Amino acid sequence: MTTRNACLALDAEDSLAPLRQQFALPQGVIYLDGNSLGARPVAALARAQQVIEQEWGNGLIRSWNSAGWRALSERLGDRLAGLIGAGAGEVVVTDTTSINLFKVLSAALQVQNLRAPGRRVIVTESSNFPTDLYIAEGLAEMLQQGYSLRLVDSPEELPQAIDQDTAVVMLTHVNYKTGHMHDMQATTALIHECGALAIWDLAHSAGAVPVDLKQAGADYAIGCTYKYLNGGPGSQAFAWVAPALVDLVKQPLSGWFGHARQFDMESRYEPSSGIARYLCGTQPITSLAMVECGLDIFAQTDMASLRRKSLALTDLFIELVEQRCGAHGLTLITPREHARRGSHVSFEHPQGYAVIQALIARGVIGDYREPRIMRFGFTPLYTSFTEVWDAVQILGEILDQKTWDQAQFQVRNSVT
Amino acid sequence: MTTRNACLALDAEDSLAPLRQQFALPQGVIYLDGNSLGARPVAALARAQQVIEQEWGNGLIRSWNSAGWRALSERLGDRLAGLIGAGAGEVVVTDTTSINLFKVLSAALQVQNLRAPGRRVIVTESSNFPTDLYIAEGLAEMLQQGYSLRLVDSPEELPQAIDQDTAVVMLTHVNYKTGHMHDMQATTALIHECGALAIWDLAHSAGAVPVDLKQAGADYAIGCTYKYLNGGPGSQAFAWVAPALVDLVKQPLSGWFGHARQFDMESRYEPSSGIARYLCGTQPITSLAMVECGLDIFAQTDMASLRRKSLALTDLFIELVEQRCGAHGLTLITPREHARRGSHVSFEHPQGYAVIQALIARGVIGDYREPRIMRFGFTPLYTSFTEVWDAVQILGEILDQKTWDQAQFQVRNSVT
């Protein structure tokens, strides 16, 4: 079994280790939930203070111009683009992942109505993140044009599920439960062979694994900035559309920020060209501005380095859990194969919820997902090898001592 | 003409005057644009610091429960409800006004399909705020069910425009250009007599004028927290639905926050009962939290007192402008009648844009709206009578001296 000293040695030679200083993490906590809410960049506080005191308080309405608020969604999109293989002018940071999925899925269905009318099936996975399923369901019902969802229960079933009726295939690149990662390029090629369009949800990918949307030939992508990108609680989501598709149709949430001439205040909508047509209403600026602090840290490294460390961390965690806790009925549900693994690791355990609560009480923060899934995120920007070792030790003690059996750990919170 | 000393006397006896101390306004500025972006409550900075340092930085993912993030949209809705004549559990603060309009308009059309099928016209005003028109246009196009917009050019034309084809009448209570205020109760009654549903946009009403949605019999309302409610730049919007209607249909932006059992992570959507079904995705929390700081100030007074002062301020402004600047071709487009006036006053002037820029350069911040409209907002929480007097003096000097004719004031900013 890898020793704690060996982990200390790995940390000592880790070229990414100094980046941790740019995060404000509480004492006594091993944070393995950056896949759900990223840690706070130290700089975020000063940035928010600047927005609130200077830009809002002193600049007031003038800051829409002078502080660049009007262009902020697009400017942040440009900064984020490099992390996902998109180009400048192709990404906006705005609204929520749910809303952005509604926009791109609506657009994709319209494009298919032009190109391949009659296709009425949206293929996705039953294990896709629930809000993605709900949004597709809501859109299909709303349209009353015969659209339906076809859910597959495993990635292996995808090839058979995509056929001549398939308008769109909508997949989350890294599964929120299992950490399984699709081969984006191969899957997109498969989707295109069947004449369908590919929407990729990058919620658990952006900033976590290398993504190259253009290389993969993707059509649409959406994702989240509050997980691995460390944008802050609930920070705005992003949307990307392949340049060849973006101007073909309007998305239906046609608010004034997407208008070609917003402040001409015309009574008819005319979409901006390019990704700006995916903007809608006025964005909460303080939260949006802090997204940049997370991106500033990514600008100091590269996704290849982050991926190397991410895989080393998840490899180590799997190895140690299986060695230290092997007797306790944990089942790994995350792929061992590197090419199929994102940046979090999940184990099933019959008492998964209570074990996670007991871990949190000991300062090891992971999270729980129905059913029975204990989920641990590894963020190479701020997670050390020694933390992985310590977390597994504590997990082992909790399982050995059945600490999870205490009543306090069985009480369900409203957010799990 | 009312003297400056008389204004000083009015300020001295103004019972609302002490509330100004709770706002951080810059020195040397007379801020008459709270109708566009409200001033900063002093408390907002500390609240944001708390969210960023304690809740995000230290609490991390736990804050969804421990800091009440999950319930924040509903809790703020409850606090806002009293300002608009809504009840507890009937309002959510979430997303943007544009997005919320899409939700309620979609729902209203569905309700009409149940109650009065075949109605396919959405009546509104051509001078409604553009994003409202764009959203309705986008929804109508998307549905492909024969919906169309019928635009009236003045409030007087409304009665003839509402007929047996009218599904929904969608009005902004206080017009963003003219400051004209509809009689909500009488207009809603008219709408209902014709069998249509009434959607009220309260962007320029909430916190500006007394609103009683339930007394008026309204069906749906949306509005903005970053104007008179002082929630911060781009802070989240709100949505209200009459209790009798809210559970009849789903709104189509069916994200996970609107699910009856969000963290059960089911694959099918089942809406929450009540207004929670109007939630969609994860909200930018730092911005959302600051909304409460504005509401805290409203809790120290009441809308009747605010309305009295608002009318006194706008009366004074109109009187002084007409006396001091009467020779300069300004045309009042705001109703003189109190019952028809919101809390801002607009004058047309051929050089309106340049005059506003010259005013801003002198520290008097109003704003400009196409075409030719100079707009001045009066926020009784922090605007004094003496400021009104001083602002008019400066306006008079600019007009007397044609300061607006300088080249620097003719350059258009991207945001006006």
Side-chain angles (χ1 to χ4, degrees), chain A residues 203-230:
Chain A
H204 289 269
S205 308
V209 298
V211 173
D212 196 332
L213 288 166
K214 293 176 101 164
Q215 172 76 20
D219 300 304
Y220 300 88
I222 53 165
C224 175
T225 68
Y226 61 73
K227 298 177 184 289
Y228 291 97
L229 294 177
N230 307 302

Side-chain angles (χ1 to χ4, degrees), chain B residues 44-56:
Chain B
L45 182 63
R47 181 73 185 99
Q49 286 172 331
Q50 181 193 357
V51 171
I52 295 166
E53 289 193 283
Q54 302 305 319
E55 297 176 15
W56 176 16

Side-chain angles (χ1 to χ4, degrees), chain B residues 5 36 61 65-66 120 142 189 202 240 246 270 326 366 369 383 396 400:
Chain B
N5 278 339
S36 189
I61 193 69
N65 291 304
S66 60
R120 286 291 180 270
M142 179 190 195
L202 304 178
W240 170 84
V246 69
E270 183 185 320
R369 284 292 174 259
T383 304
D400 290 346

Side-chain angles (χ1 to χ4, degrees), chain A residues 74-95:
Chain A
E74 291 154 278
R75 193 168 65 75
L76 292 174
D78 284 348
R79 295 211 55 190
L80 192 154
L83 297 176
I84 56 173
E90 295 177 9
V91 179
V92 283
V93 180
T94 190
D95 292 328

